[in-house]
Amino acid sequence: MYGFVGAGALTAAIVEGLGDGVAEPPAVFLSPRNRAVGLELAGRFPNVRVCDSNQEVLDRAAVVVLAVRPQVGAEVVGGLVFRPDHVVVSALAGVSLARLKEWIAPATEVVRTIPLPAAARRQSLTVLYPDQPVARELLERVGGVVVPGEESTLEAFSAATATFAAHLDYLATVADWLAAQGVKEEDATGYIAHIFGQLGQSLGRATSLTALTEEHMTPGGLNEQVLGDLRGEGMPDMVRRALDRVLGRLRG
């Protein structure tokens, strides 16, 4: 039985992956927080129940997923009573194992994860540290698992996921530019979403991003020109500096 403290987008994605099209889905208990999301999920999946309190979630579940904003983590978790047998799966970015163990005592089994929205389609590649069989079983129900060698490496994975919005903003910039050339806005958005969606399928099969980049440009071609311009403007170094700052925040 799985319990979720916090009912945002990531919780919804995992719960959907656990239940959608599954013959015998596990029992899921949801936090009353964001009740509209919880009730929508409970309406779709008979294995899902919205509890009256976060403590009820803990009382009913053996595995507890913490999925609240890190800024309120101490406040939310600090008021809960854990059992020694609880397995705690934390999705709180930047909250260390040492701090989590203080919050959840007398429970001792705790792992950190970076769940992804693709969990809804059971296609999330979830970073997990440390490896723990019960947590792994949960995450493998919604995709695959990557286990880094140490906790500090998990922070680097977390920093990499902080590039989502910047990537989408880049695509929005291209679409806006296309619309400025006289293309209908919906056509510009649809075209850019289509071509990069197709590129995403190639990414799913890639073993080398450098090799894939080479495949998408020819010497003296247009792709090479744009790549050269962006590199000349210092874009790769800007990205690295931004990632370094995020990593510093996560480790700080």
Side-chain angles (χ1 to χ4, degrees):
M1 294 183 289
Y2 300 122
F4 291 79
V5 175
L10 288 178
T11 290
I14 297 172
V15 172
E16 183 171 351
L18 290 172
D20 192 23
V22 177
E24 296 183 3
V28 171
F29 299 96
L30 295 181
S31 165
R33 191 180 184 92
N34 206 343
R35 197 170 186 84
V37 172
L39 291 175
E40 192 274 335
L41 290 168
R44 293 171 58 196
F45 304 113
N47 62 307
V48 176
R49 172 177 172 174
V50 180
C51 295
D52 292 330
S53 68
N54 286 330
Q55 186 59 54
E56 184 185 353
V57 172
L58 269 65
D59 293 344
R60 292 182 175 276
V63 181
V64 179
V65 180
L66 303 179
V68 297
R69 291 184 294 111
Q71 297 91 328
V72 299
E75 176 185 352
V76 172
V77 180
L80 300 176
V81 178
F82 289 82
R83 299 191 307 268
D85 63 305
H86 272 136
V87 175
V88 180
V89 179
S90 172
L92 279 64
V95 180
S96 69
L97 287 172
R99 190 185 307 176
L100 289 165
K101 287 179 179 179
E102 293 176 358
W103 292 354
I104 68 168
T108 58
E109 291 284 344
V110 58
V111 302
R112 296 181 62 187
T113 65
I114 309 173
L116 302 173
R121 305 186 301 277
R122 292 188 284 277
Q123 294 178 2
S124 176
L125 186 58
T126 307
V127 180
L128 165 69
Y129 183 86
D131 203 352
Q132 202 279 345
V134 175
R136 174 183 278 270
E137 180 184 8
L138 163 61
L139 298 173
E140 287 184 339
R141 287 175 180 263
V142 294
V145 170
V146 175
V147 181
E150 54 190 28
E151 185 175 7
S152 62
T153 306
L154 178 139
E155 304 287 16
F157 277 103
S158 186
T161 66
T163 60
F164 288 174
H167 177 68
L168 293 171
D169 186 65
Y170 168 82
L171 299 185
T173 299
V174 178
D176 288 347
W177 177 89
L178 190 58
Q181 309 311 306
V183 178
K184 291 181 180 178
E185 185 174 345
E186 60 270 27
D187 289 342
T189 298
Y191 182 70
I192 297 305
H194 170 76
I195 62 175
F196 282 94
Q198 293 299 311
L199 181 60
Q201 295 183 26
S202 298
L203 277 171
R205 299 186 295 270
T207 56
S208 167
L209 295 179
T210 300
L212 188 63
T213 301
E214 296 293 335
E215 290 176 13
H216 284 80
M217 64 181 182
T218 56
L222 302 179
N223 270 271
E224 185 183 67
Q225 178 180 332
V226 172
L227 178 61
D229 283 351
L230 293 177
R231 284 179 172 174
E233 293 291 334
M235 182 176 176
D237 288 336
M238 291 172 60
V239 173
R240 293 186 187 98
R241 288 194 296 271
L243 286 168
D244 286 342
R245 288 192 292 270
V246 169
L247 185 58
R249 175 180 172 183
L250 288 167
R251 291 177 174 171

